[in-house]
Amino acid sequence: MEKKPVAANRRKFLARAREQLLETKTKLLGEIDSELQAERDGNKDEGMDTYDLASEERDREINFILSDRERIKLKQIDDALERLDDGTYGVCEACGLEIAEERLDAMPFSRLCRDCQQDEEREAKSQRSFDNERNAYRKIGSTDADDESA
Ligand SMILES: [Zn+2]
């Protein structure tokens, strides 16, 4: 495997990838909205009387927690869109090889090729905080990359 110049096919693929990223972002923003709405409604039902005075503060707290979690996903999408602009999208940050298109289809904001990702995941297994990011991948990705690559 050697590094290739950006071929016409690849450029088409990248254009599609951009559209999909934008779609995913729109969908995610919609999901965040309805999640926040559901949380708010649920909490109002539960403790409107008890938490009357504090409810506004609680709302803000819930809002913060949720959007913080979702912000990780949004940032991954925005980063990918930025890299599409500067031409580094789809190029592995660790080894510089083009990331396989099927991998990018499954995980559109992947920054690493499969090999480098596996290296990183081996390290990440000792870091619980990375689990959240991997869950984010699964939630956004339309297909399960682990099954595909088996
Ligand atoms: Zn790599």
Side-chain angles (χ1 to χ4, degrees):
M1 285 244 267
E2 59 185 39
K3 190 172 179 179
K4 291 173 281 181
V6 180
N9 279 350
R10 185 71 169 182
R11 276 204 297 273
K12 261 184 220 166
F13 173 81
L14 293 176
R16 275 204 314 275
R18 180 193 295 275
E19 279 170 32
Q20 278 169 1
L21 283 164
L22 289 170
E23 258 177 52
T24 307
K25 186 176 175 179
T26 305
K27 213 173 104 190
L28 181 58
L29 289 172
E31 278 173 21
I32 292 170
D33 264 359
S34 47
E35 268 179 49
L36 288 174
Q37 201 58 55
E39 284 284 333
R40 268 189 217 115
D41 292 349
N43 279 288
K44 269 170 193 161
D45 288 348
E46 247 172 46
M48 194 56 185
D49 295 334
T50 321
Y51 293 102
D52 196 8
L53 285 173
S55 66
E56 228 181 81
E57 208 170 303
R58 286 187 76 200
D59 274 1
R60 230 175 296 151
E61 212 172 298
I62 290 158
N63 199 330
F64 176 76
I65 291 165
L66 275 183
S67 62
D68 199 43
R69 217 180 63 202
E70 310 293 352
R71 205 174 286 135
I72 294 169
K73 297 182 212 171
L74 280 174
K75 191 176 187 317
Q76 286 173 323
I77 295 170
D78 283 338
D79 283 352
L81 287 168
E82 262 178 45
R83 296 204 306 285
L84 273 163
D85 287 339
D86 67 23
T88 59
Y89 178 83
V91 177
C92 176
E93 288 186 352
C95 69
L97 294 174
E98 279 188 1
I99 300 169
E101 293 184 1
E102 58 196 5
R103 176 175 169 77
L104 288 170
D105 275 335
M107 292 186 291
F109 32 81
S110 182
R111 307 170 77 105
L112 298 170
C113 71
R114 209 175 107 198
D115 287 348
C116 295
Q117 180 76 46
Q118 280 170 354
D119 285 347
E120 191 172 86
E121 282 181 3
R122 227 169 283 138
E123 287 170 32
K125 268 181 185 166
S126 57
Q127 295 177 42
R128 285 284 159 91
S129 63
F130 270 56
D131 288 349
N132 290 332
E133 279 189 60
R134 295 180 70 198
N135 288 338
Y137 278 129
R138 279 168 207 289
K139 198 169 174 190
I140 291 178
S142 47
T143 55
D144 191 329
D146 290 333
D147 282 350
E148 301 258 323
S149 62

